[in-house]
Amino acid sequence: MKPLGALATALHVLLRASLSQALSSADSAFPPLLDATLADLRFGLDNNHFTSVDLVQAYIDRISEVNPDLKAVTEINPDALSIALERDTERRAGIDPAKQPLHGIPILLKNNIATDDEMNNTAGSYALLGARVPHDSTIASKLRKAGAIILGKANLSQWAASREVVLHEGWSAHGGQAVGAYFPKQNPRGSSSGSAIAASLGLAWAAVGTDTGGSILMPGHANNVVGFRPTVGLTSRYLVIPYSLRQDTVGTLTRTVKDAAYLMQAMAGPDKRDNYTDAIPFDTIPDYVAACSNSGLKGKRLGVSRNTMAADIDPSANTDPEAFEKALDVLRAAGAEIIDNIDLPCNNAPTDQTKGRRSNPASDNSLAAAMAAIFAIVGADFLSSLPEKYLSLLKVNPNNITSVRDLRNFTRDDPQEGFPRFDTTAWDTFLKLGLTNTDPTYWSNVTAATEFLGPQCFTGALEKYKLDAMVHPTPYSVVMAAGLGLPVVSVPLGRAPDDSPIVPSDRGKLMLSAPNGPFGIAFSGPAFSEEKLFAMAYDFEQRTNVRTSIKPFIAPTTELAHVVRKRCLRDLRGACGKEFK
Ligand SMILES: *[C@@H]1O[C@H](CO)[C@@H](O)[C@H](O)[C@H]1NC(C)=O
Ligand SMILES: *[C@@H]1O[C@H](CO)[C@@H](O)[C@H](O)[C@H]1NC(C)=O
Ligand SMILES: *[C@@H]1O[C@H](CO)[C@@H](O)[C@H](O)[C@H]1NC(C)=O
Ligand SMILES: *[C@@H]1O[C@H](CO)[C@@H](O)[C@H](O)[C@H]1NC(C)=O
Ligand SMILES: *[C@@H]1O[C@H](CO)[C@@H](O)[C@H](O)[C@H]1NC(C)=O
Ligand SMILES: CC(=O)N[C@H]1CO[C@H](CO)[C@@H](O)[C@@H]1O
């Protein structure tokens, strides 16, 4: 080795040593990304401990580590790093954090929420690969205004679980099979599967999902994150690939309740392009972040329905009765009043109506009828919503798909779509019924189902017992809220014990439940009661703090320290050092 080279090497070693010393003393400046909250990330960015470019790079590296196994993310925004650089420049020039609370913060969107950029929006299909929208969805545009960086698209059950009657949860033709991180081959539940996995493993700060019949709540419950399903109409669905305009709602998957509040705050609000938002009863959206209070449960009246919980609704529910009873004690200790043993006639409900399960229909004819009605309603909605609210708005529609009939045809013909192993039985049924949302039969179905689930059941009980909300293990909160368009928040409650059974699904390709499988508790309230739901969920979360005690068996190892160290070694001109003083 030449002397000069040796000197350079020695210098480099010295520099590396002092740098890694500086970095290790600054380790507290780097929040662990598995659990980092918005406040953690904001603090680091605002105090120049790291940049948005670092953060985006760290998340991209984390995605590359786990995505070959978990397939949580379908695309990374090719512009994410350059957008991050712009945010870093803006931050140096000074920003107003009140106006841009998400400034420089990377998030993922479910792959049915359109962005007018280089990314595809396909609902996981090849049918819409290469399609272009005329502009951003309202949600994407609001998030950009709040300063967020749209990092990429999250995998989902294809077409938000509308394609098959017996679902392949978390699978899409274009994104592959998404898998949960808490036990081998974990069925991640759906349809916002990738959003939940990504939020849980810190592949982004948080993720946006959609819920038609449990599609935020079930993956939130199964992946140890907070799933927030707002009232239908609180968030715009403009340029979100629809399933049912009556039931679709855009919500959040986050690691904490307060982060859900931040994200909801940025997304909620009226939009003249989605007239369901006309139903918003406030002039200004309540301050959901301020609602997160340590006395949020004090004086609240919470109903519990044992007959609902007695229904054997789902072998994967992983609901531990003991954990739920302990949760009730926590709620009581926090000053809530539990009104127990409320008889809800609409029990025995399946977890996800889109699955078309009719559990024990013989034991409850009204429920069977309501479920059949809902299946007919969402099917009719899909036939009209998809062409009217999405396909007809496309600027580029590469496969000329203009109807559900075209879509079914494409899906059965294109070998990449995996037919017939992945079938089209739900669409087949919708097309065969041929019901549209102008048909009188459609409206009689709507009336029958909402009467039964609402006044005769859930909203009836809320009023009769003057409840602020009902509280149940998450899977039991899905159907009533979905059918009625009501809000629910699911908070992590526990994990299946080490001796719990392994329950396979999808012909053994995935496991529905197994030891370490997370489960959640849900607060469900009346329309537009989000502010109260945040208060209660936050208080409960602060008192229990379950999420961080449940560990994924597979998780990325890249942290901000690695990314910053690499950047500093690349750029030895001194710009780096001051970040570690
Ligand atoms: C979107 O799809 C097109 C067509 O397959 C592909 O060329 C492009 O790379 C995709 N975009 C991203 C960001 O992956
Ligand atoms: C939205 O507008 C359509 C007509 O474009 C109308 O049929 C429908 O009732 C409206 N929905 C709401 C919730 O206002
Ligand atoms: C779609 O329609 C256009 C115009 O009619 C036609 O040129 C094109 O070949 C069609 N594409 C496909 C994939 O059918
Ligand atoms: C789909 O449409 C094409 C062209 O119209 C037709 O040849 C084909 O048989 C159809 N496939 C199915 C499964 O209906
Ligand atoms: C619901 O729709 C189905 C399918 O069209 C129909 O057979 C049934 O009678 C309807 N139910 C009600 C209560 O209108
Ligand atoms: C970002 C990423 O890793 N995308 C992958 C998602 O899964 C599909 C199907 O396996 C791959 O083709 C993508 O490259």
Side-chain angles (χ1 to χ4, degrees):
M1 192 184 271
K2 284 191 190 134
L4 214 59
L7 185 68
T9 307
L11 263 176
H12 200 260
V13 167
L14 212 74
L15 202 69
R16 194 186 278 271
S18 66
L19 192 64
S20 66
Q21 201 175 24
L23 279 165
S24 72
S25 70
D27 267 359
S28 58
F30 300 121
L33 293 177
L34 187 65
D35 290 309
T37 63
L38 182 68
D40 296 334
L41 298 179
R42 274 258 64 83
F43 183 81
L45 289 171
D46 294 343
N47 290 284
N48 208 22
H49 296 150
F50 49 85
T51 64
S52 288
V53 169
D54 295 331
L55 200 49
V56 165
Q57 189 60 58
Y59 285 137
I60 290 176
D61 292 353
R62 287 171 75 83
I63 292 168
S64 330
E65 279 186 70
V66 294
N67 220 42
D69 292 321
L70 304 183
K71 304 242 190 309
V73 176
T74 58
E75 280 183 9
I76 289 171
N77 185 352
D79 300 322
L81 282 166
S82 61
I83 296 169
L85 194 59
E86 279 171 36
R87 295 289 179 271
D88 287 337
T89 310
E90 287 164 8
R91 189 179 316 106
R92 260 177 241 118
I95 52 160
D96 179 354
K99 283 199 183 122
Q100 297 199 291
L102 306 183
H103 189 274
I105 302 287
I107 58 166
L108 289 163
L109 303 183
K110 186 176 179 178
N111 193 8
N112 60 356
I113 301 170
T115 50
D116 182 18
D117 53 18
E118 294 307 309
M119 284 187 287
N120 292 286
N121 190 48
T122 65
S125 73
Y126 284 89
L128 293 184
L129 197 61
R132 298 299 303 241
V133 284
H135 30 248
D136 273 340
S137 59
T138 301
I139 289 299
S141 117
K142 285 178 89 109
L143 289 169
R144 287 194 217 269
K145 277 198 197 106
I149 300 166
I150 299 176
L151 175 64
K153 290 303 201 69
N155 205 359
L156 71 171
S157 311
Q158 196 174 5
W159 295 102
S162 71
R163 177 177 158 172
E164 303 165 290
V165 168
V166 181
L167 286 178
H168 287 87
E169 288 184 281
W171 178 86
S172 72
H174 185 241
Q177 177 66 60
V179 181
Y182 289 86
F183 52 81
K185 298 190 200 172
Q186 184 190 356
N187 179 334
R189 311 309 311 266
S191 65
S192 304
S193 320
S195 299
I197 298 163
S200 189
L201 293 184
L203 307 185
W205 163 60
V208 180
T210 62
D211 192 315
T212 304
S215 281
I216 286 174
L217 296 174
M218 289 309 293
H221 152 85
N223 293 286
N224 197 26
V225 287
V226 175
F228 197 90
R229 184 207 129 88
T231 309
V232 173
L234 185 64
T235 47
S236 165
R237 287 89 43 87
Y238 178 64
L239 287 178
V240 176
I241 298 177
Y243 183 167
S244 157
L245 232 45
R246 288 193 71 263
Q247 291 195 194
D248 294 346
T249 183
V250 181
T252 64
L253 292 132
T254 60
R255 294 183 288 274
T256 67
V257 173
K258 195 177 251 184
D259 281 358
Y262 277 112
L263 194 47
M264 277 304 303
Q265 199 81 51
M267 299 199 307
D271 178 10
K272 58 183 186 315
R273 287 159 159 160
D274 178 356
N275 69 0
Y276 277 63
T277 62
D278 294 352
I280 296 176
F282 334 103
D283 292 333
T284 29
I285 298 298
D287 190 335
Y288 297 136
V289 179
C292 293
S293 125
N294 287 325
S295 55
L297 284 162
K298 201 162 176 212
K300 296 294 192 304
R301 290 174 60 84
L302 298 173
V304 174
S305 167
R306 302 279 166 181
N307 71 319
T308 295
M309 288 164 56
D312 178 18
I313 59 170
D314 190 332
S316 80
N318 270 336
T319 53
D320 174 352
E322 222 173 284
F324 183 72
E325 296 312 320
K326 276 191 198 143
L328 294 184
D329 289 340
V330 171
L331 297 172
R332 285 189 197 97
E337 191 181 342
I338 304 294
I339 293 83
D340 210 336
N341 292 311
I342 292 178
D343 179 27
L344 289 184
C346 54
N347 59 8
N348 258 5
T351 43
D352 189 338
Q353 60 192 248
T354 55
K355 258 190 284 212
R357 282 185 203 216
R358 315 278 190 273
S359 48
N360 305 328
S363 71
D364 190 333
N365 287 326
S366 313
L367 176 77
M371 297 313 297
I374 283 184
F375 192 63
I377 293 164
V378 295
D381 288 341
F382 189 62
L383 296 185
S384 54
S385 303
L386 183 69
E388 282 166 28
K389 299 294 176 185
Y390 199 77
L391 298 175
S392 66
L393 304 181
L394 289 174
K395 213 167 62 177
V396 176
N397 186 347
N399 295 300
N400 298 333
I401 308 283
T402 60
S403 65
V404 173
R405 198 166 288 282
D406 291 347
L407 177 60
R408 174 177 177 272
N409 180 308
F410 178 96
T411 305
R412 292 166 79 99
D413 271 4
D414 188 315
Q416 299 174 104
E417 287 287 333
F419 185 84
R421 184 181 157 222
F422 302 93
D423 64 35
T424 58
T425 40
W427 296 345
D428 302 348
T429 310
F430 302 159
L431 286 164
K432 203 162 137 218
L433 282 176
L435 201 60
T436 69
N437 61 11
T438 51
D439 200 311
T441 315
Y442 172 88
W443 290 106
S444 54
N445 267 296
V446 169
T447 308
T450 51
E451 255 299 306
F452 176 69
L453 293 172
Q456 290 177 36
C457 188
F458 183 68
T459 49
L462 289 181
E463 278 167 32
K464 182 170 171 195
Y465 299 99
K466 299 187 169 34
L467 303 175
D468 294 292
M470 292 199 82
V471 57
H472 292 119
T474 303
Y476 303 95
S477 299
V478 168
V479 173
M480 295 172 279
L484 299 167
L486 299 181
V488 185
V489 55
S490 173
V491 182
L493 175 61
R495 59 182 276 280
D498 292 340
D499 60 353
S500 59
I502 297 178
V503 182
S505 73
D506 193 13
R507 297 172 196 87
K509 289 205 165 59
L510 293 177
M511 301 299 152
L512 262 176
S513 63
N516 203 44
F519 53 85
I521 184 170
F523 299 81
S524 45
F528 298 105
S529 64
E530 283 79 7
E531 192 178 12
K532 246 184 217 177
L533 293 180
F534 275 120
M536 295 185 282
Y538 179 80
D539 195 359
F540 179 80
E541 175 198 50
Q542 297 308 299
R543 286 165 194 273
T544 50
N545 216 348
V546 166
R547 176 186 144 80
T548 49
S549 69
I550 304 175
K551 302 294 178 199
F553 86 98
I554 169 171
T557 57
T558 301
E559 293 292 349
L560 277 161
H562 303 118
V563 171
V564 172
R565 181 177 296 136
K566 256 193 222 157
R567 167 163 67 79
C568 292
L569 285 173
R570 220 170 34 232
D571 176 14
L572 294 174
R573 283 163 299 188
C576 218
K578 65 174 184 291
E579 283 151 27
F580 307 104
K581 289 220 171 96

